[in-house]
Amino acid sequence: MSYHNVTIAIAKGRIMEGTRSLWQQKGLPWPVDEDSRQLWFAPENERPGVLIARARDIPTLVGLGIADLGIVGLDVLEEYPNTHVLQVADLNFAHCRVVLAGQKNQWPVGPTRIATKYQRIAQNYFNVHRHPVEILPLSGSLELAPVIGLAPYIVDIVDTGNTLRQHHLIEITTILKSSARLIANQSHWRTKPEVEQVRRTLKNDDSPMDSSANFGPKGSIL
Ligand code: ATP
Ligand code: PRP
């Protein structure tokens, strides 16, 4: 199968590291020159092209069909959803959780402020629990917020729990379990067989493509 027609969008950082290892495990040549500032690596017959973007922009780029496929954490997909994107595989790396944490192991009592970079995930969670909150958007260093009195609670990523512990914070509840997901442009998935072939190569899955697959209400075939 030739990949000269397929482009996949990824972000630098953990996703790129995990993707590089996966490419190496599956025998796909890794096209990205990580020492350069280049953001676009053209596809060739034996490997898909790679486009490097900010994680939060990847669902948009795939939804518009600029990239056929993308790799993002489920956290990013839930925070920046796109109706033209299908989730086609769990790639089983970048495991983490989006959690509610605070200085005590106690759910908020009464209206409270939540510092987070996951504004949508946090707001939806508290809406479901019919609990009034003020969301304070921050783009990083979330664990600092309770320590300096910005907000008593945070919604943030946890893996080992070391960062929370170092700031004397306690995980109160898990809101979302996340791992890296392969996403596809909905119409390219149905019309370009080589897009589905990338999924098969990455998942060792030889089952035939079902072009009439029902992707379910949340745009997922998982
Ligand atoms: P940005 O730098 O654009 O804010 P980021 O810091 O979330 O993004 P990374 O740290 O590379 O970027 O994380 C990429 C993805 O890896 C996240 O979307 C999440 O799914 C997962 N992730 C984030 N932090 C951890 C962690 N500590 N351990 C494991 N996985 C993580
Ligand atoms: C992430 C996240 C937490 C930390 C959790 O930060 O924002 O701070 O990892 O991991 P742990 O539970 O294993 O300590 P990251 O390392 O990505 O730094 P950044 O958010 O500043 O990019």
Side-chain angles (χ1 to χ4, degrees):
M1 173 69 70
S2 158
Y3 295 116
H4 74 276
N5 204 11
V6 182
T7 293
I8 183 159
I10 59 174
K12 287 185 178 170
R14 288 183 175 88
I15 294 292
M16 188 182 288
E17 286 160 25
T19 304
R20 189 201 315 112
S21 317
L22 195 57
W23 254 228
Q24 286 162 353
Q25 272 172 39
K26 304 298 175 189
L28 288 167
W30 180 241
V32 180
D33 174 1
E34 293 180 44
D35 294 328
S36 85
R37 301 282 303 159
Q38 205 177 322
L39 299 172
W40 157 244
F41 300 87
E44 286 177 10
N45 277 342
E46 77 284 12
R47 58 159 176 78
V50 170
L51 185 159
I52 299 170
R54 292 304 296 267
R56 73 184 65 171
D57 297 333
I58 289 178
T60 309
L61 295 174
V62 174
L64 289 170
I66 306 296
D68 304 288
L69 291 157
I71 299 181
V72 282
L74 181 62
D75 54 328
V76 172
L77 209 49
E78 292 283 335
E79 186 64 22
Y80 302 99
N82 186 295
T83 52
H84 301 291
V85 158
L86 291 171
Q87 206 189 125
V88 297
D90 183 345
L91 297 177
N92 234 346
F93 67 84
H95 288 279
C96 59
R97 287 165 292 127
V98 178
V99 307
L100 172 69
Q103 284 170 318
K104 290 185 212 153
N105 190 6
Q106 186 187 354
W107 227 75
V109 178
T112 192
R113 184 187 274 177
I114 313 284
T116 187
K117 66 175 179 183
Y118 295 101
Q119 296 168 55
R120 182 174 186 273
I121 293 173
Q123 188 67 65
N124 283 347
Y125 175 76
F126 284 101
N127 286 350
V128 165
H129 287 84
R130 297 175 181 276
H131 192 95
V133 288
E134 176 200 349
I135 303 288
L136 176 71
L138 287 182
S139 56
S141 301
L142 268 306
E143 293 84 357
L144 209 51
V147 178
I148 60 178
L150 258 181
Y153 294 93
I154 63 171
V155 167
D156 195 17
I157 288 284
V158 171
D159 177 25
T160 62
N162 285 339
T163 316
L164 285 185
R165 273 190 292 279
Q166 284 190 15
H167 294 85
H168 308 289
L169 295 174
I170 295 162
E171 186 180 326
I172 299 166
T173 190
T174 294
I175 298 177
L176 176 75
K177 288 185 182 167
S178 180
S179 55
R181 303 300 163 103
L182 182 66
I183 59 173
N185 173 275
Q186 190 157 11
S187 80
H188 294 190
W189 176 260
R190 294 182 193 279
T191 55
K192 289 171 74 172
E194 57 275 46
V195 172
E196 219 273 340
Q197 181 60 35
V198 175
R199 177 188 188 273
R200 283 193 212 157
T201 303
L202 298 180
K203 295 296 287 181
N204 291 335
D205 178 359
D206 287 330
S207 54
M209 177 173 169
D210 177 2
S211 60
S212 63
N214 174 2
F215 294 100
K218 290 192 78 184
S220 170
I221 64 160
L222 298 179

